[in-house]
Amino acid sequence: MDEKKRIFSAIQPTGMMTLGNYAGAIQNWVKMQDEYECIYAVADLHAITVRQVPADFRKNAMQLMAILLACGIDPDKSLLFFQSHVHQHAELAWILNCYTQMGELSRMTQFKDKSAKHANNINAGLFTYPALMAADILLYQADLVPVGEDQKQHLELCRDIAGRFNGIYGDVLKVPEPYIPKVGARIMSLQNPTSKMSKSDTNVNGYILLTDETDTIIRKFKRAVTDSDAKVEFKEGKDGINNLISIYVAATGKTVEETVKEFDGKGYGDFKLAVGEAVADMLAPVTKKYNDLLANKDYLMQVYTKSAEIAEKIAMRTMRKVYKKIGFTEK
Ligand code: TYM
């Protein structure tokens, strides 16, 4: 009997992955593959809560699939598929919508942020986004969900929804735990270290994309906003330096203490260059693998098709149980 705990997580195909996604989530996705049964999805259903251009959307989704494999998601160990290919995600989302309160959804900070940003398209999907996310997780009875800090509130709501459902119908849905890294859970913009690194930033120097070239990476780090202390230490108020330390830790595997010691007495110029080089070194093999994988569409299709088939079987088990408990007439 397989006693491994189960992991579920997903990422939206709204453009190339950033260093924030990588340090906050994907690095853990990769690390957890040996110890856990891992199920990962490209969250394309979530992505249409913001308007997408079909051709770009399709391209972004495939590129994300390729970069996830290039990062080290191993299809022999884990499932990796498109969320829209397993229709049970949308189906359970509808059901969970009926067990989620308007008040809960309106408290979500991501909803508030995104409605401010896309004021001309505050659609119902954007509002009920966390119910779909809860469906993603609960469908697979996941024990743990590796995410960055920004998804914590959605995870808490997912736990509340599962608890509420179980409260009515008995033990149907596993209540999952978030799995958030100690360092790297919130990588900040290199240009504005009080806001999170995001590819939707209008300033391209604020974020690192996994496919950025080495010299672009080094240049962006050289321009990173710091402070005037000229001391590499992890301390409240030193947002820019704290962020660079977190990135260095994520890229090298060193601890914060080791990093601070290593750069004791050195200037910010040296530190920024070292961070840039560490990130470039970490990403160079990923980019190379990515280009090879992207050229092999048949292989990608084989991975996501097979994974979706297996995922669907697991999802069906939960759906059957949920339908029965709710009281739907059996077919
Ligand atoms: P998304 O696509 O915005 O981000 C994917 C993952 O990257 C993390 N992340 C960050 N971590 C650290 N620093 C940052 N600057 C940073 N930016 C992003 C996110 O926390 C996330 O873990 N709703 C989700 C996708 C999703 C999902 C799910 C996640 C859909 N269904 C079910 C978990 C479980 C999202 O938009 O992530």
Side-chain angles (χ1 to χ4, degrees), residues 8-14 18 20-26 29 43 46 83 110 114 129 132-133 136-137 145-151 154-155 184-188 196-199:
F8 179 87
S9 199
I11 176 169
Q12 290 195 72
T14 43
T18 67
N21 297 135
Y22 185 74
I26 312 307
W29 291 20
H46 276 103
Q83 184 190 28
Q110 186 173 300
K114 286 206 177 168
Y129 179 116
L132 175 58
M133 198 169 143
D136 296 342
I137 300 164
V145 185
V147 283
E149 182 76 37
D150 62 339
Q151 295 301 319
H154 288 157
L155 255 286
R186 195 169 166 79
I187 298 295
M188 310 309 277
K196 99 175 168 185
M197 180 182 285
S198 160
K199 59 203 150 212

Side-chain angles (χ1 to χ4, degrees), residues 206 215 245 294:
D215 44 350
I245 294 176
L294 202 56

Side-chain angles (χ1 to χ4, degrees), residues 34-98:
D34 287 321
E35 204 180 327
Y36 300 93
E37 182 193 340
C38 299
I39 305 179
Y40 299 129
V42 170
D44 47 5
L45 295 173
H46 276 103
I48 62 161
T49 53
V50 170
R51 201 66 72 229
Q52 304 291 338
V53 177
D56 297 343
F57 186 34
R58 198 171 290 120
K59 204 167 96 195
N60 283 337
M62 198 59 81
Q63 289 179 343
L64 189 57
M65 182 61 63
I67 200 91
L68 285 166
L69 292 168
C71 286
I73 301 302
D74 180 351
D76 289 332
K77 296 180 188 156
S78 308
L79 301 182
L80 177 64
F81 58 92
F82 292 109
Q83 184 190 28
S84 63
H85 289 187
V86 180
H87 61 81
Q88 287 83 357
H89 287 255
E91 225 170 294
L92 185 59
W94 167 254
I95 291 178
L96 297 182
N97 268 322
C98 302

